[in-house]
Amino acid sequence: MNNRLDPLPPLDLPVEEMRRLGYALVERLIERHLALPALPIQHPPTRMELERKLREPLPERGIPIDDVLAQLDREVWPNIIPTNHPRFFAFVSTPNNFVSVLADALSAAMTAYAGSWLEAAGPAMIELVVIDWLRQLVGMPEGTGGHCVTGGSAANLTALAVARYAKLQDRVEGATLYCSDQTHGSIRRAFRILGFQFEQMRVMPTNARFEIDVAALAQTIARDRAEGKRPFCVVATAGTTNTGSIDPLNALADVCVRENLWLHVDGSYGAAIALTAHGLELLSGIDRVDSLTLDPHKWWFQPYELGCVLVRQPHLLRETFQYSAEYLQDTQRAGDEINFGDEGLQLTRTFRALKLWMSLKVFGVETFRRAVQYGVDLAEQAEKTLRASSCWEILSGAQLGIIVFRYIRPGLSATELNHLNHALAAESLKDGFAFVTSTTLKGQTALRFCTINPRTTFDDIQQTIARLKACGNRL
Ligand SMILES: *Cc1c(COP(=O)(O)O)cnc(C)c1O
């Protein structure tokens, strides 16, 4: 029985309109892809300027979609610095691929509820396969499980929640966690969210290569034990965000086995190095860790949002996160069918694994391997170019596609050099050619390139360095 006055249900579009919009959208996506390399990097407008353009009353009545798209083209898309731009050298870029972009659209349309086997058995199976492919690629033991999350922050939070459950039975009093001064801030945030005090985190110094000082770690653990504390977890980083350094995983695994501690490795940035010829050597010891964070929306070329957490004993995920509810009773499965909604923070979850699965199948791992190696090589070429000019000092040589360097000028004090390099990063953004940001290593402010985009050319690198040099000379 249809007693509606309209021919269509609310929120439906006529089929011809759906088709027109869909095709037009695909054209837009392709135009964007083609236009990207020539696009200027835009300095962001102020909040005030955007308030004037975008603050408007709640739209009680609809307007034509073409007007809405035109508004986006005018006021919104020009005001992003696209992180897949070939000259986005700042932070960590997101050089996504078109197959995965389409996969995201497909996933939204199919509306798979990837929280339960009952509602989405096919997607759950794909997620199991993708997690196992990642496990194989990084070299974790068979039987390791895990799942997809929104990103590295969520994966780190998930892993630390499991560590808290497994080693502390969720009792946080007096417990201590160990990491380094190069550990990502998301670990500190996760630690606080999980109910620990900041003093319960022991931040270890790093050596000249920005790797955790294992001797200092062992001493600190011993001191904490002597004082009646409860050491429970070490967080190592495989590819720090600042420099790409990798903590000595085997030495840390030795400490953790001896001391009965959970070893979590944050591989958000760097675990993709496993795809290169020397990567598995660099990650030696990764087969011994309890949990690992991966972030495919970084160096695995996926669009936002996709992170992964791998756990050597996957039953711990369920024990940490599962609850029962009468309204979910029909979803319970016998045997090894998995409800990913029981394994982590989210009950309702999108089919995130699809994009990585589709792109791995379409391009093959060999293409991913070439793409990661290319980023490694680019940073090495950048280092050569920088070393050829006396105005640059290398603070951390090319490592996992990251190089940290600074502009130097004889006669300037340490503070003046810091100011100069900070100003140089800000000035370079005004130039509009490339996006370069600064960081601070052991008190020294420096510029940092992260060169993981396969569409970046060596010419992009050389021109950016030349412009930075000219800018530095002017300042
Ligand atoms: C980027 C990053 C994170 C955070 O990941 P998000 O996806 O941004 O949440 C955590 N750790 C390291 C080492 C990172 O580089």
Side-chain angles (χ1 to χ4, degrees), residues 38-60:
L39 223 58
I41 303 277
Q42 301 275 18
H43 198 275
T46 62
R47 165 84 183 247
M48 190 91 111
E49 288 169 274
L50 286 187
E51 282 282 346
R52 242 180 275 129
K53 290 176 172 163
L54 289 168
R55 175 72 58 189
E56 48 189 17
L58 188 63
E60 188 58 39

Side-chain angles (χ1 to χ4, degrees), residues 80-358:
I80 59 177
I81 300 177
T83 63
N84 58 344
H85 192 295
R87 288 182 303 283
F88 187 108
F89 299 116
F91 314 116
V92 177
S93 61
T94 301
N96 56 21
N97 74 88
F98 196 67
V99 170
S100 293
V101 169
L102 295 182
D104 263 357
L106 190 59
S107 167
M110 290 300 176
T111 322
Y113 175 85
S116 79
W117 190 273
L118 175 68
E119 287 152 283
M125 193 60 227
I126 297 274
E127 186 159 346
L128 286 168
V129 168
V130 163
I131 291 292
D132 201 57
W133 283 350
L134 288 172
R135 172 196 74 74
Q136 286 173 39
L137 286 170
V138 299
M140 278 183 76
E142 244 177 273
T144 297
H147 61 258
C148 297
V149 293
T150 51
S153 301
N156 283 335
L157 177 61
T158 306
L160 292 190
V162 175
R164 183 184 65 171
Y165 165 77
K167 294 295 183 191
L168 300 173
Q169 291 74 50
D170 291 338
R171 287 177 36 246
V172 302
E173 316 81 57
T176 48
L177 171 144
Y178 305 81
C179 61
S180 90
D181 58 23
Q182 295 300 305
T183 299
H184 194 269
S186 60
I187 294 290
R188 199 168 35 212
R189 178 159 60 190
F191 197 58
R192 274 189 51 214
I193 293 172
L194 291 169
F196 297 91
Q197 303 294 312
F198 183 62
E199 309 84 73
Q200 292 172 269
M201 175 177 255
R202 305 281 187 257
V203 181
M204 298 293 108
T206 47
N207 62 22
R209 294 185 309 277
F210 304 97
E211 302 157 355
I212 193 168
D213 180 336
V214 181
L217 170 72
Q219 278 167 17
T220 310
I221 293 170
R223 187 170 351 107
D224 282 339
R225 284 222 195 275
E227 289 176 7
K229 299 282 193 289
R230 301 161 65 214
F232 81 102
C233 179
V234 171
V235 175
T237 309
T240 58
T241 320
N242 266 338
T243 67
S245 62
I246 299 176
D247 288 327
L249 303 183
N250 268 314
L252 293 175
D254 290 342
V255 171
C256 288
V257 167
R258 198 166 62 230
E259 300 282 344
N260 186 27
L261 307 180
W262 185 273
L263 178 55
H264 173 63
V265 173
D266 182 357
S268 295
Y269 176 69
I273 200 66
L275 290 166
T276 65
H278 300 302
L280 289 176
E281 267 169 63
L282 295 174
L283 295 177
S284 166
I286 202 131
D287 53 324
R288 302 172 62 194
V289 312
D290 294 294
S291 56
L292 171 68
T293 287
L294 298 161
D295 213 2
H297 65 207
K298 287 179 172 170
W299 213 357
W300 302 79
F301 313 104
Q302 303 303 308
Y304 304 133
E305 299 173 346
L306 182 59
C308 291
V309 57
L310 300 189
V311 177
R312 195 148 50 108
Q313 297 174 273
H315 65 90
L316 292 172
L317 280 166
R318 196 160 326 148
E319 289 170 29
T320 304
F321 288 102
Q322 189 172 28
Y323 59 85
S324 61
E326 59 280 13
Y327 44 80
L328 295 176
Q329 60 200 13
D330 296 347
T331 66
Q332 292 317 312
R333 314 306 301 170
D336 52 6
E337 292 170 358
I338 199 162
N339 289 329
F340 281 109
D342 287 340
E343 310 258 316
L345 294 166
Q346 282 182 271
L347 180 60
T348 301
R349 42 203 302 284
T350 64
F351 182 16
R352 291 177 201 285
L354 176 68
K355 47 192 162 186
L356 186 53
W357 182 81
M358 264 179 72

